[in-house]
Amino acid sequence: MTQQVASTTALVLGFLVVMMLGGRLIRYFGIAAEGRLDVSLLFTIIGYNLPYFLELILPLAFFIALMLVFGRLYVDQEMAVINASGVSRGKLARLMTPLILALFAGEAALSVVGKPWGVRSSEAVWQQQALTSAFDLIRPNEFISSGNYHLYVGSLSDDKKKLQDVILIQSEPEKKGSAATNTSSADNSLDQDTAEQMGISDLPKAIINSGAKNISKDTITLAKRAEQVDTGNTGVTQLDLFQGRRYEVGAGSLKYNQVTFDRYRITLTESSKEVITEDNIETQKIGPLWQVATSGSQASTNSALRAAQGELGYRLALPWLMIIAPMLAVPLAQVRPRQGRWLRLFPSILLFVSCALGIISLKNAVSKDSVSVWAYAWLILGFMVLALYMNWGSRVQHRLRFRKQENRLDNALSNGTDNQNSGSQGGQL
C-alpha cells in the first residue's frame, strides 16, 4: 500500500508540475525572446519558483493518489477480502503512517523554508536582470532611465562596464503628504543677511523658502568616468564614479549642496531591507517572521504586523493538509458495486481543494484584520471533525439504532412476561 501510494503520488505530482509550470515557462520564453531575460537564467528562475508551486500541488497529488489506490481496492473487491481478514480500512490507512509523516515533514520544509528562499532568490535574479537590461540599453550621448535614475554617457567600452563623461540624475520620490506640508511652512526662509547679499530681499517668502525640511531633493552627479562594481549574487548593484562633482538641489529652493570627489561609490539597487513590510513578507525567514508576528518588532506599520501574522499562520497551516488528506480519502474512496471510482473522484477533489482555498483566503483575511489568526486552527479542526464524522458517523448511527432496537425488544419481552405472570395469577384465583 505504501509503495503504491508513493509511486502514484510521484506520477500525479509530476503531471501537475508540468501542467502548472507550462504556462509560466512559455511566458518566460517570451520575455527571453524580447531580450529582457538572459536565456541562461531561464531554468534557474524556474527552479527558484518550483517550491512555490510544490507547497500547494504536493497535498493535492497525495490526496488524488489515495483516492485512486483506495478506489481500486473497492472496485476490484480487494477491500472486502481485507475486511473479511480482520483488517479495517482505518487500520489500513494507519499502516501508511511513516509515509504520511514523511510527506508532512516535506510539506513543512517547503512551506517554512523552501518557498521563502525560492521567492527571495527569484526576486534577486529579476532585480539584477532588470538593471543589466538597462545597462544593455545604454547609448552614447543619450539619456536612459531605470527607476529613479537617469543616466547619460558620453562613451563606453565594449563590455559596457566602463563609462566615460557620465551624468547621473537621481530623483527622490515625493513622500505622501509632503505637498501639503510644504505649502503650509511659511516660516522657513532665508535669513536677512543672506537675502541682501544675493539681492533677493524683495522676493516673496514663498520663493526664497529654502529651509523647508520636506522638500524633495534631486541629486546630479557629474564624473569623468565610471566603472560597474562586481558584487556577485548579493542583489546589490553599484557604480564607482571618478573625478567629479555632486550637486544636491531641491525644488523651490535657492540653496544647493556641492561636493567634489576623486572616487565616489553609488548604489543603484539594494538587497531586501531588514524592516519587514507588506511587500517583502513572503521572502522573510521563519525566525524574523515569528518575532514580528508575536511581538511586533521590526515591523514598519501595523498592517505589516497583520500581514506577518497571516503569512505565519499560512505557513504553519499548510502541512496539516497531509493529515487531512488520508482522513478524507478513506471514506470518500468507498464505492458501491457497479459504481466506478472515477465518479466520486471529482467531488472529492472539490472538497479537499475547498480546504486549501480556505487557508489561502484566510491569509488575505488575517492580513486585512477581518478575522483572527486563530481562524486557521478552527478551519483545520473543522475539516478534521468532518473527516471523523465521515469515518465514524455511520457506525455510530448504526450502533444507536441497534441499541434502540434492543431496548424495544427488551421492553416487549418484559411486557409479555408481566402479562403472562398476571394471567397465571388470575387463573389460580
Side-chain angles (χ1 to χ4, degrees):
M1 285 294 299
T2 301
Q3 183 180 0
Q4 289 184 8
V5 173
S7 59
T8 308
T9 302
L11 291 175
V12 176
L13 181 63
F15 173 76
L16 293 178
V17 166
V18 171
M19 186 175 62
M20 295 294 293
L21 289 181
R24 185 67 62 92
L25 188 61
I26 292 174
R27 186 166 66 89
Y28 288 162
F29 271 118
I31 296 176
E34 294 175 359
R36 293 183 295 163
L37 178 63
D38 190 359
V39 179
S40 61
L41 298 176
L42 183 63
F43 290 98
T44 301
I45 297 178
I46 291 294
Y48 286 147
N49 287 329
L50 192 59
Y52 181 82
F53 293 100
L54 285 180
E55 69 168 1
L56 292 176
I57 296 177
L58 182 58
L60 180 60
F62 181 50
F63 178 77
I64 294 177
L66 289 172
M67 290 291 299
L68 293 177
V69 173
F70 275 87
R72 184 175 180 180
L73 291 178
Y74 281 103
V75 171
D76 296 342
Q77 305 300 326
E78 295 181 16
M79 184 62 75
V81 177
I82 293 174
N83 293 336
S85 302
V87 180
S88 63
R89 63 183 187 184
K91 184 177 180 180
L92 194 64
R94 288 191 295 270
L95 292 176
M96 294 186 297
T97 301
L99 176 62
I100 297 173
L101 293 179
L103 291 176
F104 181 88
E107 178 67 17
L110 284 173
S111 178
V112 175
V113 179
K115 191 197 76 172
W117 169 80
V119 174
R120 184 168 58 251
S121 302
S122 178
E123 288 184 357
V125 172
W126 279 112
Q127 190 177 26
Q128 185 71 23
Q129 187 65 28
L131 190 65
T132 303
S133 300
F135 272 95
D136 291 339
L137 296 176
I138 292 179
R139 298 291 182 272
N141 302 323
E142 292 183 6
F143 271 101
I144 66 166
S145 299
S146 177
N148 296 327
Y149 290 91
H150 310 279
L151 182 64
Y152 174 89
V153 177
S155 61
L156 67 160
S157 60
D158 295 336
D159 58 356
K160 299 183 179 180
K161 298 291 184 180
K162 298 180 180 180
L163 314 176
Q164 301 290 333
D165 300 330
V166 179
I167 301 177
L168 184 64
I169 303 176
Q170 179 184 4
S171 301
E172 181 181 349
E174 186 177 358
K175 298 180 180 180
K176 295 182 179 180
S178 60
T181 305
N182 293 340
T183 56
S184 61
S185 57
D187 295 335
N188 295 321
S189 60
L190 289 174
D191 58 276
Q192 188 66 26
D193 296 337
T194 305
E196 291 178 357
Q197 292 177 3
M198 298 180 65
I200 56 174
S201 57
D202 297 333
L203 292 178
K205 291 183 178 181
I207 297 179
I208 63 174
N209 179 18
S210 62
K213 297 181 179 180
N214 294 322
I215 291 178
S216 60
K217 296 182 179 180
D218 296 336
T219 303
I220 303 175
T221 306
L222 309 177
K224 289 186 177 180
R225 63 186 182 91
E227 295 181 1
Q228 187 175 354
V229 181
D230 186 10
T231 58
N233 297 325
T234 59
V236 179
T237 304
Q238 295 177 333
L239 278 179
D240 277 346
L241 307 175
F242 300 92
Q243 299 178 358
R245 298 184 303 276
R246 182 175 181 268
Y247 300 93
E248 189 177 276
V249 298
S253 173
L254 296 178
K255 285 187 176 181
Y256 66 92
N257 297 325
Q258 177 182 347
V259 177
T260 303
F261 58 87
D262 289 333
R263 179 181 178 181
Y264 177 68
R265 176 167 292 183
I266 186 171
T267 301
L268 300 180
T269 59
E270 299 180 356
S271 58
S272 58
K273 299 180 180 180
E274 295 294 334
V275 179
I276 297 179
T277 61
E278 296 180 76
D279 298 330
N280 62 0
I281 200 70
E282 291 186 351
T283 63
Q284 300 299 321
K285 297 181 180 179
I286 190 65
L289 191 65
W290 180 274
Q291 294 179 359
V292 172
T294 54
S295 61
S297 61
Q298 299 180 353
S300 59
T301 58
N302 190 24
S303 59
L305 173 62
R306 295 194 297 269
Q309 292 178 351
E311 179 69 19
L312 181 63
Y314 173 78
R315 295 185 187 181
L316 297 180
L318 278 180
W320 290 96
L321 291 175
M322 293 299 182
I323 307 298
I324 297 176
M327 296 177 65
L328 289 176
V330 171
L332 289 175
Q334 183 178 2
V335 294
R336 298 177 181 178
R338 298 182 180 180
Q339 185 182 21
R341 54 176 174 167
W342 303 101
L343 184 63
R344 305 195 63 176
L345 181 61
F346 183 71
S348 301
I349 292 177
L350 291 181
L351 179 62
F352 183 75
V353 169
S354 65
C355 181
L357 292 179
I359 295 176
I360 296 174
S361 61
L362 282 179
K363 179 181 177 180
N364 297 328
V366 174
S367 300
K368 296 179 181 178
D369 203 14
S370 300
V371 296
S372 173
V373 69
W374 293 103
Y376 287 104
W378 289 111
L379 178 65
I380 294 173
L381 288 177
F383 272 90
M384 285 186 174
V385 170
L386 175 62
L388 291 176
Y389 174 77
M390 296 175 64
N391 280 280
W392 300 96
S394 59
R395 296 184 181 182
V396 172
Q397 293 178 1
H398 179 72
R399 290 181 180 180
L400 290 177
R401 287 195 300 265
F402 183 73
R403 289 181 180 179
K404 187 180 293 185
Q405 292 177 359
E406 284 186 345
N407 293 332
R408 290 179 180 177
L409 183 59
D410 293 339
N411 293 330
L413 291 175
S414 61
N415 292 331
T417 304
D418 294 339
N419 292 332
Q420 290 179 0
N421 293 332
S422 61
S424 61
Q425 291 176 1
Q428 293 176 357
L429 292 172

